[in-house]
Amino acid sequence: MEPVSTAITYYENYTPVGDVSVLGLCLVLLVLMKVAYNVHTKNYRILQAMIGSLMVTTISSMMYHILLNSLGEVAPIWIYLTRGLTHFGYLLILFLYVRYVMFPLQLDEREGKVYVMIAHAGLVFFTLYDVIGTVTKLGYYITADGEIHEGFIYLFVVSYFYFFVLIAWLLLVYRGRIIRQLLYGIMGTFLISITMMGIQGSHRQMSFTSVCFLFPILTLFYMIHSNPYNIEIGSVNVDAFEDMITYANRRHEERYLMCLYMPGFEGTGKHYPPEIQQLVRAFAHEFFKGAVLFQISNGRMALVITTKKNPDYIEGGRRMLENFYEAYKKFQLDYKIVYLPTEERISAKHDYIRFLQFVESKMEINSVMIAGEQEFADFHRMNYVLSQLDDIKKTGNLNDPRIEVFCQPVLNIATGKYDTAEALMRMRLPETGMVFPDVFIPIAEEYNFIHMLSLIILFKTCLHIKKMLARGYHVQRISVNFSVGELREPSFCDDIKRIIKDVGIPNDKIAIEITESQNESEFRFVKERINELRKDGIKFYLDDFGTGYSNFERIMELPFDIIKFDRSLVIACGEDEKSEKMVSHLAGMFAALDYSLLYEGVETEEDEKKCIRMCAKYLQGYKYSKPVPIEELTDWFEKEAV
């Protein structure tokens, strides 16, 4: 193609106002990205690189046009360099944009490999074409007498269109993976940029090219990386909290966290009163340098301190706590405060929120905890238990060796013998050994692993009953505990019946213990499940009667066979005559209605006598036996008479 001589070209219509404006806006964006504590992901760094590239490009663009105005006074090499840097900068921004959009499109390395290669090819081709054109004088060059030859004047338009088509293709092919608003935002701003460059070209202008490159960058910043502060209390959000900790951990920078939990605001959507808002804002900046306040949830905040900037952070924390106590006298809002240093294993797994919840669950209301090695160790132990529970559920082995059955024998008052027992759950893990129910059952219930554990206990109990029956032992029944929530499982009854049938024991050798429901919908499920299973001969115990909530109307509606009086009622009987009369009358009422009564927690001879006076048919407690491995039940049970 013949070179086009353009001694009078676009540069004569250039004004630096566009480049200067873009340079200022880029600086503003970088400042905002710095102070807003955005998530420092790979695409965040690509966005920063785009903004930095645009800044360098606008500076080189201004230098190029300044040097053109001094044509003849400066060596052409400087003009070539600034022009080449400007064009390469624009191409690099488009290349980075291609790399960026792969993240919201969720393209992995394998899927995006072809598109990255196409973008690389475009960047290299158009850059080399421009350079070779100048060297061979087939493209842009300046003659010895100062005449400018543009060569293929549409090179930049073609390169821009190449990358735009690639970006548009990516967005349209994978549009199902991206939110529609972001798709419209990116495509819309590119179309606006193209239109603006077309208008600029028709007026033989080059002043606003950098502005057209800024628009698509602004779309990404606004729609993905904007992270406004909560102006009420001066905090930023939970995503920024997790990222700051991860970023600090990656750079081996120590942080210290001061966390405030106000349960009265958690999950309510209520706003803090203006006086508290003012107090929180003051706390965030008054005692520490560069501290950042994060709102983890509606009722939980965390102040993150860089210890390097605050070597006296312990003293600062003490003074802040003193001020907090003064404020508490006025507002009287319940709280829990946790102080803790960052810990590498928790930082790496983004586990601080769960760690805070774990620590808070063990704290009294209106208390302060300085978390240390013991709390971290307990938390890691809890996580280990959780991972094992998850594996137990995924494995689905009803004979899983990690779950063991212990039993507590129950004395039958009528016969004076042990022919029933309660099956209890224990967990034995490779790293920790024995784990007791008060540790793993709350975790299992919270994460929905409890039903699998209950089925394992039921299966192993049935197996052992079968062995005892085969050896001639008299087993009236053994009870297994199930939580009320498990009865909501659609397969609950089928699970129970299938296990008993597969093992091959009579249905009446198994009883199910459940606690009373406090929820109307749960009560309906409980009633339906009890009625269905009792038809097959399975008995039901109402466990822990006398603790927490008790609704006699509902209890009477449920066809329980045995009512288990909690140890607290046994203790209450020994405290005064009034309590004993009350428990006696309750026991008498249940006995008159043909419920059998079982008293738990019997520890002394006196306990035993009182319970027998109060209509007891069964007694259970340390007076007779502590829980023992189910294999040892034969030490208490007797063989059938021949």
Side-chain angles (χ1 to χ4, degrees):
M1 180 178 292
E2 289 295 322
V4 180
S5 176
T6 54
I8 298 175
T9 187
Y10 293 128
Y11 70 84
E12 292 189 345
N13 294 325
Y14 172 81
T15 171
V17 64
D19 284 336
V20 171
S21 299
V22 169
L23 187 61
L25 283 169
C26 286
L27 287 170
V28 169
L29 288 178
L30 290 176
V31 169
L32 292 177
M33 292 175 78
K34 175 66 177 176
V35 301
Y37 294 101
N38 285 283
V39 178
H40 291 74
T41 54
K42 187 175 181 180
N43 55 333
Y44 175 84
R45 293 191 292 274
I46 291 175
L47 181 63
Q48 284 182 316
M50 279 193 278
I51 295 171
S53 299
L54 186 55
M55 290 177 66
V56 173
T57 303
T58 55
I59 293 170
S60 63
S61 174
M62 287 188 287
M63 291 300 299
Y64 168 65
H65 290 94
I66 290 171
L67 293 172
L68 278 180
N69 288 328
S70 303
L71 192 61
E73 300 175 14
V74 297
I77 185 64
W78 297 108
I79 297 175
Y80 293 146
L81 286 174
T82 53
R83 178 187 175 278
L85 184 59
T86 301
H87 280 200
F88 177 76
Y90 286 139
L91 291 172
L92 180 61
I93 293 167
L94 292 170
F95 169 78
L96 290 171
Y97 212 99
V98 173
R99 294 300 307 268
Y100 185 98
V101 296
M102 291 172 62
F103 289 96
L105 292 173
Q106 303 171 45
L107 289 175
D108 57 29
E109 291 296 325
R110 181 183 57 81
E111 289 180 298
K113 185 177 181 180
V114 173
Y115 301 104
V116 173
M117 290 175 61
I118 294 171
H120 267 117
L123 178 65
V124 172
F125 174 79
F126 290 114
T127 300
L128 289 177
Y129 188 99
D130 204 16
V131 172
I132 293 170
T134 298
V135 172
T136 61
K137 298 192 184 309
L138 295 174
Y140 178 92
Y141 71 97
I142 302 172
T143 63
D145 58 1
E147 185 178 8
I148 297 175
H149 290 255
E150 287 284 355
F152 181 38
I153 61 173
Y154 297 111
L155 176 65
F156 178 74
V157 174
V158 171
S159 63
Y160 187 91
F161 188 72
Y162 175 91
F163 279 100
F164 170 72
V165 169
L166 179 57
I167 292 167
W169 177 263
L170 272 167
L171 292 171
L172 293 174
V173 168
Y174 297 101
R175 62 186 178 275
R177 300 186 182 186
I178 191 171
I179 59 171
R180 191 167 297 176
Q181 292 87 342
L182 182 57
L183 172 65
Y184 293 162
I186 294 174
M187 294 298 292
T189 50
F190 263 109
L191 291 174
I192 291 170
S193 298
I194 291 170
T195 303
M196 188 170 174
M197 281 197 283
I199 295 171
Q200 174 183 250
S202 68
H203 290 80
R204 303 183 67 79
Q205 261 282 356
M206 292 185 67
S207 304
F208 299 99
T209 303
S210 57
V211 176
C212 298
F213 278 79
L214 180 64
F215 289 162
I217 293 175
L218 286 174
T219 300
L220 301 181
F221 177 83
Y222 180 79
M223 298 198 73
I224 299 178
H225 295 281
S226 58
N227 183 18
Y229 281 89
N230 179 333
I231 59 173
E232 291 182 349
I233 60 174
S235 66
V236 286
N237 66 24
V238 65
D239 291 334
F241 167 76
E242 292 181 341
D243 179 67
M244 176 185 239
I245 299 299
T246 304
Y247 184 68
N249 183 55
R250 193 160 54 236
R251 299 178 61 174
H252 304 290
E253 294 177 353
E254 186 180 343
R255 297 285 195 273
Y256 200 79
L257 281 62
M258 299 182 179
C259 308
L260 171 65
Y261 175 55
M262 293 189 287
F265 291 93
E266 188 70 8
T268 63
K270 294 191 297 186
H271 290 274
Y272 301 120
E275 297 90 345
I276 292 182
Q277 294 174 15
Q278 182 179 354
L279 191 66
V280 171
R281 285 196 302 270
F283 277 11
H285 304 289
E286 184 176 343
F287 301 99
F288 306 99
K289 296 176 184 177
V292 185
L293 182 68
F294 297 92
Q295 182 139 22
I296 309 302
S297 62
N298 203 52
R300 186 178 285 107
M301 290 172 284
L303 188 66
V304 180
I305 299 137
T306 305
T307 56
K308 188 175 180 180
K309 294 180 181 178
N310 299 273
D312 59 342
Y313 66 92
I314 297 295
E315 175 61 21
R318 186 191 63 77
R319 289 187 289 111
M320 188 175 74
L321 200 57
E322 288 177 355
N323 280 262
F324 177 85
Y325 287 146
E326 287 299 316
Y328 177 75
K329 293 176 183 177
K330 178 180 179 182
F331 298 109
Q332 294 291 312
L333 292 170
D334 289 339
Y335 68 87
K336 293 181 182 180
I337 295 175
V338 179
Y339 286 9
L340 68 146
T342 50
E343 204 266 1
E344 186 173 348
R345 286 182 294 173
I346 296 181
S347 298
K349 294 182 179 179
H350 306 285
D351 261 357
Y352 278 98
I353 296 173
R354 286 181 59 235
F355 177 75
L356 288 171
Q357 293 170 337
F358 172 77
V359 173
E360 289 161 359
S361 68
K362 299 179 178 301
M363 294 172 61
E364 297 291 335
I365 201 72
N366 300 331
S367 63
V368 178
M369 163 75 78
I370 300 176
E373 287 302 319
Q374 185 60 53
E375 287 70 34
F376 287 130
D378 290 345
F379 178 69
H380 291 308
R381 184 168 182 261
M382 183 273 287
N383 272 345
Y384 172 66
V385 170
L386 181 60
S387 69
Q388 292 292 303
L389 289 170
D390 183 48
D391 185 65
I392 288 169
K393 183 175 181 180
K394 287 178 179 176
T395 304
N397 178 13
L398 290 176
N399 208 18
D400 197 302
R402 289 169 288 186
I403 301 300
E404 298 182 358
V405 183
F406 275 56
C407 282
Q408 190 167 31
V410 175
L411 178 66
N412 186 331
I413 299 296
T415 64
K417 297 178 180 180
Y418 300 97
D419 53 15
T420 66
E422 178 183 4
L424 301 168
M425 198 181 300
R426 298 291 185 267
M427 192 176 188
R428 193 181 300 274
L429 301 178
E431 290 185 12
T432 60
M434 180 66 77
V435 183
F436 289 97
D438 61 329
V439 174
F440 71 85
I441 286 182
I443 302 172
E445 289 180 337
E446 180 179 356
Y447 291 93
N448 198 31
F449 298 132
I450 191 65
H451 188 53
M452 185 65 208
L453 302 186
S454 299
L455 295 181
I456 291 173
I457 294 297
L458 175 63
F459 175 75
K460 291 189 173 186
T461 300
C462 290
L463 281 180
H464 197 73
I465 291 173
K466 185 175 184 178
K467 290 178 183 177
M468 291 181 70
L469 292 175
R471 293 172 60 189
Y473 284 93
H474 173 62
V475 181
Q476 186 174 341
R477 64 181 165 270
I478 297 179
S479 63
V480 178
N481 286 276
F482 285 85
S483 69
V484 172
E486 291 179 71
L487 274 69
R488 298 183 69 92
E489 296 279 345
S491 62
F492 179 81
C493 292
D494 291 338
D495 290 341
I496 304 298
K497 289 188 282 189
R498 185 187 69 252
I499 288 173
I500 297 174
K501 181 180 178 182
D502 288 349
V503 174
I505 63 170
N507 288 339
D508 63 1
K509 299 302 178 184
I510 287 292
I512 292 176
E513 295 193 23
I514 57 172
T515 54
E516 185 187 356
S517 169
Q518 301 181 27
N519 179 289
E520 183 63 39
S521 62
E522 282 183 350
F523 172 75
R524 179 172 56 83
F525 276 105
V526 169
K527 188 174 182 179
E528 290 175 359
R529 302 295 190 257
I530 291 177
N531 283 328
E532 180 175 346
L533 291 175
R534 283 186 88 247
K535 292 177 185 176
D536 294 305
I538 297 171
K539 293 189 179 295
F540 277 81
Y541 292 19
L542 174 62
D543 195 14
D544 295 334
F545 177 77
T547 62
Y549 178 87
S550 290
N551 185 318
F552 285 100
E553 181 181 358
R554 286 184 176 176
I555 292 173
M556 298 307 173
E557 281 191 53
L558 297 174
F560 287 111
D561 299 284
I562 294 176
I563 308 293
K564 293 186 72 172
F565 275 37
D566 187 75
R567 170 156 175 78
S568 61
L569 295 182
V570 178
I571 294 172
C573 292
E575 292 179 347
D576 55 62
E577 186 180 344
K578 182 178 179 181
S579 297
E580 184 171 352
K581 284 184 178 180
M582 187 176 295
V583 175
S584 294
H585 280 86
L586 283 172
M589 178 186 69
F590 281 122
L593 293 169
D594 293 327
Y595 291 101
S596 296
L597 299 186
L598 188 160
Y599 286 86
E600 296 181 282
V602 178
E603 295 185 356
T604 65
E605 195 78 30
E606 185 180 351
D607 288 343
E608 181 182 77
K609 290 177 181 177
K610 279 188 295 186
C611 294
I612 292 174
R613 286 200 305 269
M614 295 186 294
C615 308
K617 286 196 174 180
Y618 300 98
L619 298 176
Q620 177 181 348
Y622 275 39
K623 180 182 186 300
Y624 313 106
S625 173
K626 64 180 182 179
V628 297
I630 193 169
E631 293 79 12
E632 296 180 16
L633 269 187
T634 51
D635 294 343
W636 276 265
F637 282 40
E638 295 184 2
K639 291 190 175 183
E640 299 274 9
V642 178

